[in-house]
Amino acid sequence: MLVSGFKEAYRVLKIGGKACLIGPVHPTFWLFQFFADMWMLFPKEDGYIEWFKKAGFKDVKLKRIGPKWYRGVRRQHRLIMGCSVTGVKPLSAWS
């Protein structure tokens, strides 16, 4: 189960520490979805957030990422290249 990797990151992180993950996201345009589903797993953005929260992280934030030249094209094709997700191990955490 993928959440176990996030739980391990949570376990080894010191209290108050921040974890960051950068990964691809599932496309929203139907043609890109078709090819993405054929080739690899592209989680939806809320999947990353859910994994972080299930592992115990607090203050979970997601930011869409991509090169500046791509941002205008993304609106047209609704394709997001990736995201960064961060979460903090709370002060009242167990390890």
Side-chain angles (χ1 to χ4, degrees):
M1 184 176 202
L2 201 56
V3 175
S4 62
F6 290 94
K7 287 183 179 179
E8 178 63 9
Y10 181 89
R11 186 186 70 79
V12 299
L13 194 64
K14 70 179 183 176
I15 292 175
K18 185 181 277 191
C20 178
L21 171 84
I22 298 175
V25 293
H26 195 269
T28 55
F29 186 62
W30 71 269
L31 182 60
F32 299 134
Q33 284 178 352
F34 173 78
F35 288 111
D37 291 340
M38 288 178 56
W39 289 322
M40 69 181 288
L41 168 69
F42 283 85
K44 292 184 171 54
E45 293 174 358
D46 56 351
Y48 285 115
I49 293 169
E50 181 182 338
W51 295 336
F52 264 69
K53 288 182 176 178
K54 280 185 178 180
F57 288 101
K58 302 295 181 197
D59 195 26
V60 178
K61 296 178 183 173
L62 182 138
K63 181 178 180 181
R64 295 176 178 168
I65 56 175
K68 287 183 181 182
W69 60 265
Y70 190 73
R71 291 183 184 146
V73 177
R74 180 177 65 204
R75 288 190 193 103
Q76 179 183 357
H77 297 292
R78 300 189 315 262
L79 179 65
I80 300 163
M81 295 187 79
C83 66
S84 69
V85 185
T86 57
V88 177
K89 185 172 182 176
L91 298 177
S92 60
W94 56 270
S95 286

mmCIF file with all atom_site columns, all heavy atoms in Angstrom, residues 15-30:
data_model
loop_
_atom_site.group_PDB
_atom_site.id
_atom_site.type_symbol
_atom_site.label_atom_id
_atom_site.label_alt_id
_atom_site.label_comp_id
_atom_site.label_asym_id
_atom_site.label_entity_id
_atom_site.label_seq_id
_atom_site.pdbx_PDB_ins_code
_atom_site.Cartn_x
_atom_site.Cartn_y
_atom_site.Cartn_z
_atom_site.occupancy
_atom_site.B_iso_or_equiv
_atom_site.pdbx_formal_charge
_atom_site.auth_seq_id
_atom_site.auth_comp_id
_atom_site.auth_asym_id
_atom_site.auth_atom_id
_atom_site.pdbx_PDB_model_num
ATOM 1   N N   . ILE A 1 15 ? 9.972   15.819 15.002  1.00 0.00 ? 15 ILE A N   1
ATOM 2   C CA  . ILE A 1 15 ? 8.768   16.586 15.316  1.00 0.00 ? 15 ILE A CA  1
ATOM 3   C C   . ILE A 1 15 ? 8.953   18.029 14.849  1.00 0.00 ? 15 ILE A C   1
ATOM 4   O O   . ILE A 1 15 ? 9.986   18.639 15.084  1.00 0.00 ? 15 ILE A O   1
ATOM 5   C CB  . ILE A 1 15 ? 8.465   16.510 16.822  1.00 0.00 ? 15 ILE A CB  1
ATOM 6   C CG1 . ILE A 1 15 ? 8.060   15.083 17.180  1.00 0.00 ? 15 ILE A CG1 1
ATOM 7   C CG2 . ILE A 1 15 ? 7.381   17.500 17.224  1.00 0.00 ? 15 ILE A CG2 1
ATOM 8   C CD1 . ILE A 1 15 ? 7.844   14.842 18.645  1.00 0.00 ? 15 ILE A CD1 1
ATOM 9   N N   . GLY A 1 16 ? 7.944   18.539 14.166  1.00 0.00 ? 16 GLY A N   1
ATOM 10  C CA  . GLY A 1 16 ? 8.008   19.884 13.607  1.00 0.00 ? 16 GLY A CA  1
ATOM 11  C C   . GLY A 1 16 ? 8.653   19.923 12.228  1.00 0.00 ? 16 GLY A C   1
ATOM 12  O O   . GLY A 1 16 ? 8.662   20.964 11.579  1.00 0.00 ? 16 GLY A O   1
ATOM 13  N N   . GLY A 1 17 ? 9.181   18.770 11.770  1.00 0.00 ? 17 GLY A N   1
ATOM 14  C CA  . GLY A 1 17 ? 9.819   18.700 10.459  1.00 0.00 ? 17 GLY A CA  1
ATOM 15  C C   . GLY A 1 17 ? 8.800   18.697 9.332   1.00 0.00 ? 17 GLY A C   1
ATOM 16  O O   . GLY A 1 17 ? 7.632   18.391 9.515   1.00 0.00 ? 17 GLY A O   1
ATOM 17  N N   . LYS A 1 18 ? 9.267   19.047 8.133   1.00 0.00 ? 18 LYS A N   1
ATOM 18  C CA  . LYS A 1 18 ? 8.397   19.144 6.970   1.00 0.00 ? 18 LYS A CA  1
ATOM 19  C C   . LYS A 1 18 ? 8.821   18.127 5.919   1.00 0.00 ? 18 LYS A C   1
ATOM 20  O O   . LYS A 1 18 ? 10.005  18.000 5.623   1.00 0.00 ? 18 LYS A O   1
ATOM 21  C CB  . LYS A 1 18 ? 8.452   20.550 6.388   1.00 0.00 ? 18 LYS A CB  1
ATOM 22  C CG  . LYS A 1 18 ? 7.480   20.782 5.238   1.00 0.00 ? 18 LYS A CG  1
ATOM 23  C CD  . LYS A 1 18 ? 7.575   22.180 4.670   1.00 0.00 ? 18 LYS A CD  1
ATOM 24  C CE  . LYS A 1 18 ? 6.752   23.108 5.507   1.00 0.00 ? 18 LYS A CE  1
ATOM 25  N NZ  . LYS A 1 18 ? 6.578   24.436 4.859   1.00 0.00 ? 18 LYS A NZ  1
ATOM 26  N N   . ALA A 1 19 ? 7.849   17.433 5.364   1.00 0.00 ? 19 ALA A N   1
ATOM 27  C CA  . ALA A 1 19 ? 8.098   16.499 4.266   1.00 0.00 ? 19 ALA A CA  1
ATOM 28  C C   . ALA A 1 19 ? 7.590   17.129 2.978   1.00 0.00 ? 19 ALA A C   1
ATOM 29  O O   . ALA A 1 19 ? 6.593   17.865 2.978   1.00 0.00 ? 19 ALA A O   1
ATOM 30  C CB  . ALA A 1 19 ? 7.371   15.180 4.515   1.00 0.00 ? 19 ALA A CB  1
ATOM 31  N N   . CYS A 1 20 ? 8.267   16.847 1.875   1.00 0.00 ? 20 CYS A N   1
ATOM 32  C CA  . CYS A 1 20 ? 7.876   17.380 0.574   1.00 0.00 ? 20 CYS A CA  1
ATOM 33  C C   . CYS A 1 20 ? 7.944   16.262 -0.454  1.00 0.00 ? 20 CYS A C   1
ATOM 34  O O   . CYS A 1 20 ? 8.904   15.494 -0.488  1.00 0.00 ? 20 CYS A O   1
ATOM 35  C CB  . CYS A 1 20 ? 8.791   18.531 0.170   1.00 0.00 ? 20 CYS A CB  1
ATOM 36  S SG  . CYS A 1 20 ? 8.394   19.202 -1.466  1.00 0.00 ? 20 CYS A SG  1
ATOM 37  N N   . LEU A 1 21 ? 6.932   16.180 -1.284  1.00 0.00 ? 21 LEU A N   1
ATOM 38  C CA  . LEU A 1 21 ? 6.881   15.218 -2.378  1.00 0.00 ? 21 LEU A CA  1
ATOM 39  C C   . LEU A 1 21 ? 6.570   15.978 -3.653  1.00 0.00 ? 21 LEU A C   1
ATOM 40  O O   . LEU A 1 21 ? 5.695   16.855 -3.660  1.00 0.00 ? 21 LEU A O   1
ATOM 41  C CB  . LEU A 1 21 ? 5.777   14.181 -2.125  1.00 0.00 ? 21 LEU A CB  1
ATOM 42  C CG  . LEU A 1 21 ? 5.494   13.266 -3.305  1.00 0.00 ? 21 LEU A CG  1
ATOM 43  C CD1 . LEU A 1 21 ? 6.477   12.113 -3.317  1.00 0.00 ? 21 LEU A CD1 1
ATOM 44  C CD2 . LEU A 1 21 ? 4.081   12.780 -3.276  1.00 0.00 ? 21 LEU A CD2 1
ATOM 45  N N   . ILE A 1 22 ? 7.284   15.652 -4.713  1.00 0.00 ? 22 ILE A N   1
ATOM 46  C CA  . ILE A 1 22 ? 6.995   16.221 -6.025  1.00 0.00 ? 22 ILE A CA  1
ATOM 47  C C   . ILE A 1 22 ? 6.637   15.059 -6.934  1.00 0.00 ? 22 ILE A C   1
ATOM 48  O O   . ILE A 1 22 ? 7.376   14.078 -7.016  1.00 0.00 ? 22 ILE A O   1
ATOM 49  C CB  . ILE A 1 22 ? 8.188   17.013 -6.582  1.00 0.00 ? 22 ILE A CB  1
ATOM 50  C CG1 . ILE A 1 22 ? 8.496   18.179 -5.654  1.00 0.00 ? 22 ILE A CG1 1
ATOM 51  C CG2 . ILE A 1 22 ? 7.913   17.482 -8.001  1.00 0.00 ? 22 ILE A CG2 1
ATOM 52  C CD1 . ILE A 1 22 ? 9.716   18.970 -6.029  1.00 0.00 ? 22 ILE A CD1 1
ATOM 53  N N   . GLY A 1 23 ? 5.479   15.162 -7.576  1.00 0.00 ? 23 GLY A N   1
ATOM 54  C CA  . GLY A 1 23 ? 5.048   14.065 -8.420  1.00 0.00 ? 23 GLY A CA  1
ATOM 55  C C   . GLY A 1 23 ? 4.119   14.505 -9.531  1.00 0.00 ? 23 GLY A C   1
ATOM 56  O O   . GLY A 1 23 ? 3.636   15.642 -9.544  1.00 0.00 ? 23 GLY A O   1
ATOM 57  N N   . PRO A 1 24 ? 3.857   13.610 -10.472 1.00 0.00 ? 24 PRO A N   1
ATOM 58  C CA  . PRO A 1 24 ? 2.935   13.918 -11.569 1.00 0.00 ? 24 PRO A CA  1
ATOM 59  C C   . PRO A 1 24 ? 1.492   13.840 -11.094 1.00 0.00 ? 24 PRO A C   1
ATOM 60  O O   . PRO A 1 24 ? 1.206   13.243 -10.057 1.00 0.00 ? 24 PRO A O   1
ATOM 61  C CB  . PRO A 1 24 ? 3.223   12.806 -12.581 1.00 0.00 ? 24 PRO A CB  1
ATOM 62  C CG  . PRO A 1 24 ? 3.622   11.643 -11.732 1.00 0.00 ? 24 PRO A CG  1
ATOM 63  C CD  . PRO A 1 24 ? 4.377   12.242 -10.573 1.00 0.00 ? 24 PRO A CD  1
ATOM 64  N N   . VAL A 1 25 ? 0.597   14.449 -11.823 1.00 0.00 ? 25 VAL A N   1
ATOM 65  C CA  . VAL A 1 25 ? -0.823  14.347 -11.511 1.00 0.00 ? 25 VAL A CA  1
ATOM 66  C C   . VAL A 1 25 ? -1.582  13.850 -12.736 1.00 0.00 ? 25 VAL A C   1
ATOM 67  O O   . VAL A 1 25 ? -1.108  13.964 -13.865 1.00 0.00 ? 25 VAL A O   1
ATOM 68  C CB  . VAL A 1 25 ? -1.426  15.683 -11.024 1.00 0.00 ? 25 VAL A CB  1
ATOM 69  C CG1 . VAL A 1 25 ? -0.851  16.074 -9.685  1.00 0.00 ? 25 VAL A CG1 1
ATOM 70  C CG2 . VAL A 1 25 ? -1.218  16.781 -12.035 1.00 0.00 ? 25 VAL A CG2 1
ATOM 71  N N   . HIS A 1 26 ? -2.743  13.305 -12.487 1.00 0.00 ? 26 HIS A N   1
ATOM 72  C CA  . HIS A 1 26 ? -3.581  12.768 -13.549 1.00 0.00 ? 26 HIS A CA  1
ATOM 73  C C   . HIS A 1 26 ? -4.093  13.917 -14.414 1.00 0.00 ? 26 HIS A C   1
ATOM 74  O O   . HIS A 1 26 ? -4.607  14.900 -13.899 1.00 0.00 ? 26 HIS A O   1
ATOM 75  C CB  . HIS A 1 26 ? -4.748  11.997 -12.940 1.00 0.00 ? 26 HIS A CB  1
ATOM 76  C CG  . HIS A 1 26 ? -5.441  11.123 -13.909 1.00 0.00 ? 26 HIS A CG  1
ATOM 77  N ND1 . HIS A 1 26 ? -6.514  11.553 -14.647 1.00 0.00 ? 26 HIS A ND1 1
ATOM 78  C CD2 . HIS A 1 26 ? -5.211  9.848  -14.272 1.00 0.00 ? 26 HIS A CD2 1
ATOM 79  C CE1 . HIS A 1 26 ? -6.922  10.565 -15.420 1.00 0.00 ? 26 HIS A CE1 1
ATOM 80  N NE2 . HIS A 1 26 ? -6.151  9.523  -15.217 1.00 0.00 ? 26 HIS A NE2 1
ATOM 81  N N   . PRO A 1 27 ? -3.972  13.804 -15.739 1.00 0.00 ? 27 PRO A N   1
ATOM 82  C CA  . PRO A 1 27 ? -4.463  14.865 -16.624 1.00 0.00 ? 27 PRO A CA  1
ATOM 83  C C   . PRO A 1 27 ? -5.983  14.989 -16.563 1.00 0.00 ? 27 PRO A C   1
ATOM 84  O O   . PRO A 1 27 ? -6.679  14.030 -16.237 1.00 0.00 ? 27 PRO A O   1
ATOM 85  C CB  . PRO A 1 27 ? -4.026  14.418 -18.019 1.00 0.00 ? 27 PRO A CB  1
ATOM 86  C CG  . PRO A 1 27 ? -3.121  13.264 -17.836 1.00 0.00 ? 27 PRO A CG  1
ATOM 87  C CD  . PRO A 1 27 ? -3.338  12.721 -16.477 1.00 0.00 ? 27 PRO A CD  1
ATOM 88  N N   . THR A 1 28 ? -6.495  16.158 -16.925 1.00 0.00 ? 28 THR A N   1
ATOM 89  C CA  . THR A 1 28 ? -7.939  16.371 -16.945 1.00 0.00 ? 28 THR A CA  1
ATOM 90  C C   . THR A 1 28 ? -8.510  16.321 -18.362 1.00 0.00 ? 28 THR A C   1
ATOM 91  O O   . THR A 1 28 ? -9.693  16.128 -18.536 1.00 0.00 ? 28 THR A O   1
ATOM 92  C CB  . THR A 1 28 ? -8.305  17.722 -16.307 1.00 0.00 ? 28 THR A CB  1
ATOM 93  O OG1 . THR A 1 28 ? -7.578  18.757 -16.966 1.00 0.00 ? 28 THR A OG1 1
ATOM 94  C CG2 . THR A 1 28 ? -7.971  17.722 -14.828 1.00 0.00 ? 28 THR A CG2 1
ATOM 95  N N   . PHE A 1 29 ? -7.685  16.491 -19.373 1.00 0.00 ? 29 PHE A N   1
ATOM 96  C CA  . PHE A 1 29 ? -8.135  16.441 -20.764 1.00 0.00 ? 29 PHE A CA  1
ATOM 97  C C   . PHE A 1 29 ? -8.293  14.979 -21.174 1.00 0.00 ? 29 PHE A C   1
ATOM 98  O O   . PHE A 1 29 ? -7.409  14.153 -20.941 1.00 0.00 ? 29 PHE A O   1
ATOM 99  C CB  . PHE A 1 29 ? -7.110  17.158 -21.656 1.00 0.00 ? 29 PHE A CB  1
ATOM 100 C CG  . PHE A 1 29 ? -7.533  17.298 -23.090 1.00 0.00 ? 29 PHE A CG  1
ATOM 101 C CD1 . PHE A 1 29 ? -8.667  18.027 -23.409 1.00 0.00 ? 29 PHE A CD1 1
ATOM 102 C CD2 . PHE A 1 29 ? -6.795  16.712 -24.097 1.00 0.00 ? 29 PHE A CD2 1
ATOM 103 C CE1 . PHE A 1 29 ? -9.052  18.170 -24.736 1.00 0.00 ? 29 PHE A CE1 1
ATOM 104 C CE2 . PHE A 1 29 ? -7.171  16.847 -25.418 1.00 0.00 ? 29 PHE A CE2 1
ATOM 105 C CZ  . PHE A 1 29 ? -8.301  17.580 -25.740 1.00 0.00 ? 29 PHE A CZ  1
ATOM 106 N N   . TRP A 1 30 ? -9.414  14.625 -21.786 1.00 0.00 ? 30 TRP A N   1
ATOM 107 C CA  . TRP A 1 30 ? -9.765  13.219 -22.049 1.00 0.00 ? 30 TRP A CA  1
ATOM 108 C C   . TRP A 1 30 ? -8.714  12.469 -22.849 1.00 0.00 ? 30 TRP A C   1
ATOM 109 O O   . TRP A 1 30 ? -8.431  11.311 -22.556 1.00 0.00 ? 30 TRP A O   1
ATOM 110 C CB  . TRP A 1 30 ? -11.125 13.117 -22.723 1.00 0.00 ? 30 TRP A CB  1
ATOM 111 C CG  . TRP A 1 30 ? -11.124 13.611 -24.147 1.00 0.00 ? 30 TRP A CG  1
ATOM 112 C CD1 . TRP A 1 30 ? -11.384 14.879 -24.569 1.00 0.00 ? 30 TRP A CD1 1
ATOM 113 C CD2 . TRP A 1 30 ? -10.820 12.853 -25.314 1.00 0.00 ? 30 TRP A CD2 1
ATOM 114 N NE1 . TRP A 1 30 ? -11.255 14.964 -25.937 1.00 0.00 ? 30 TRP A NE1 1
ATOM 115 C CE2 . TRP A 1 30 ? -10.913 13.727 -26.427 1.00 0.00 ? 30 TRP A CE2 1
ATOM 116 C CE3 . TRP A 1 30 ? -10.474 11.529 -25.547 1.00 0.00 ? 30 TRP A CE3 1
ATOM 117 C CZ2 . TRP A 1 30 ? -10.677 13.313 -27.727 1.00 0.00 ? 30 TRP A CZ2 1
ATOM 118 C CZ3 . TRP A 1 30 ? -10.239 11.118 -26.853 1.00 0.00 ? 30 TRP A CZ3 1
ATOM 119 C CH2 . TRP A 1 30 ? -10.341 12.006 -27.931 1.00 0.00 ? 30 TRP A CH2 1
#
